[in-house]
Amino acid sequence: MSLRRFPNAVNISSEILGQQLKFRNGRVSQNRFLKAALTEILSTYAPQEPKKHGLPTDTILNIYDKWGNGKFGMILTSNVLVDPTNLEAAGNAIVFKEGDSHERRALFSHWAKIMKQDGALAVMQLSHAGRQTPELVNPTPWSASDIQLVSAARFTTYGKPKPLTTEQVKKEVVDRFVYAAKYAYECGFDGIQLHGAHGYLLSQFTSPTTNKRTDKYGGSLENRQRVIIEIFDAIRAEIPASTGFLIGIKANSVEFQAEGTTLEQAKEMCRVYESKEFDFVELSGGTYEKLAFCYERESTRKREAFFLEFAEQIRPVFNKTVVYLTGGFRTVFAMVDAINNNATQGIGLGRPITAEPDLPKKILEGSVNSAVQDSFNQNDMAATAMASGSQMEQMGRNSLNDAGRNIMDQISDFSNDETVQRFDQALADHLVQAGIDIADGKRPKPIVVFN
Ligand SMILES: Cc1cc2nc3c(=O)[nH]c(=O)nc-3n(C[C@H](O)[C@H](O)[C@H](O)COP(=O)(O)O)c2cc1C
């Protein structure tokens, strides 16, 4: 199979990408690559049966068997949800007290183990969807305030959220995150990452667009960030830094919307993460209302990373907290350039590694110097995310042992124009069927099962 790749502007050594990253608590990542969180929506969905709800499936384990052999420094899970009723999608993995069982613990422990096969750190991303919970999952999810999500970029509607009372913030948010972090620790994960970006609950608190509260969780930036700091402190009280357990956060560098978090506010929040001794921060941007995974300017397109200019300005606040930047990286040149320009220390990869789960390994060996160049419009997040979802399902069809150790087995080559045309048709059919299912009151299938 001959894959078309993004042209690498200048041929440059990838050596720097293979350097270790050291965390303040002494843990070490074997190189600078981060597998970003990518929701698979392939866990079980059984809201009426807590013990069967949100269990990782064999498909998920097979997917991570591939990434666990891809030579990442750190591998994040997809968003694992902490509240069984506030999901990003029906089919998320969930960790919650009422759902605890030997089966769940065994599955999560196995998940951690296969992520670490070739030396990567296994980190669970913890999230609470809040007002970004689809209406079909829950018409009245929690949020900081009762601001409904209207102009969704996805084929989904969202109900009007209920604002959490001050007491509920502790019970429904802080306690749930702490429970899930302890669970991750007990199951052998090396750390957790709080999902504080992309408009999910924690960023509903930090963003002035969605936080209109007048109690200690609203108003000033300090108040809006309070819930995150309370979660951090409560986790550290249970799992001290001396255990080596990492705590990081995915944070927005900017939200391009009215009243959205500004660069200055993001910088201020990052200053707090540094002083609170977060182990790492992954910089991203945007929300469902204003997706930002695209090139807003020509200067960004050349340098690939969507949030590079923001990262460069935030970077100086970090000293001991390790910084990752995710979004848009496609060539070795751009990755090395971002590190040399001190915009970031680590490189997060999302869509390129569903096309090629061992991209870091190939880059470090020097056998490739860029990602597969698919034929989708690169600014079309909906289509490229659906395509990535399909590739993950394909990755999950067998383990490396079944696949005779061919890591690319079954993965569609979207650098082939004809395959992309067929996918576009499959996606169009999928959306028509989703419309019919929704009209019939049924849950639509979350991903396009392709080929
Ligand atoms: C299919 C898909 C699922 C995603 N799921 C998550 C998620 O669960 N948590 C998260 O923080 N970001 C999620 N993202 C965002 C990615 O982590 C990443 O920030 C984004 O794709 C930009 O990186 P890229 O240009 O390398 O793809 C998702 C993106 C895609 C395409």
Side-chain angles (χ1 to χ4, degrees), residues 427-441:
L427 178 57
D429 295 346
H430 174 86
L431 293 177
V432 169
Q433 187 57 46
I436 296 169
D437 288 346
I438 287 173
D440 288 350

Side-chain angles (χ1 to χ4, degrees), residues 35-41 76-81 88 92 125 127 154 193-198 200 250 282-285 293 295 304 306-307 326-330 348-354 381 384-390 392:
K35 182 254 150 198
L38 296 167
T39 186
E40 310 92 12
I41 322 186
L76 291 171
T77 60
S78 47
N79 53 182
V80 171
L81 279 291
E88 169 260 336
N92 292 144
Q125 184 185 61
S127 186
R154 288 192 182 181
Q193 181 194 55
L194 303 174
H195 194 347
H198 306 167
Y200 291 97
K250 188 163 186 172
E282 179 192 1
L283 294 174
S284 184
F293 301 123
Y295 299 106
E304 296 185 10
F306 310 130
F307 311 110
T326 299
F329 283 115
R330 301 293 180 262
L349 296 173
R351 287 162 290 176
I353 53 163
T354 62
M381 183 62 185
T384 53
M386 279 303 214
S388 270
S390 297
M392 286 191 275

Side-chain angles (χ1 to χ4, degrees), residues 122 176 197 262 322 325:
R176 286 187 183 276
T262 61
V322 170
L325 178 61

Side-chain angles (χ1 to χ4, degrees), residues 72-130:
F72 288 88
M74 180 186 287
I75 299 182
L76 291 171
T77 60
S78 47
N79 53 182
V80 171
L81 279 291
V82 301
D83 179 334
T85 63
N86 278 241
L87 306 179
E88 169 260 336
N92 292 144
I94 317 171
V95 170
F96 62 117
K97 208 181 249 168
E98 312 84 298
D100 190 22
S101 66
H102 287 304
E103 185 188 11
R104 189 176 307 264
R105 279 184 190 261
L107 286 167
F108 275 96
S109 302
H110 191 58
W111 193 354
K113 198 167 145 204
I114 53 176
M115 287 161 85
K116 299 197 228 186
Q117 282 175 94
D118 67 3
L121 294 165
V123 175
M124 188 188 286
Q125 184 185 61
L126 295 180
S127 186
H128 185 305

Side-chain angles (χ1 to χ4, degrees), residues 234-252:
I235 296 174
R236 272 290 174 245
E238 297 275 347
I239 317 168
S242 57
T243 59
F245 191 70
L246 301 164
I247 306 183
I249 186 161
K250 188 163 186 172
N252 272 358

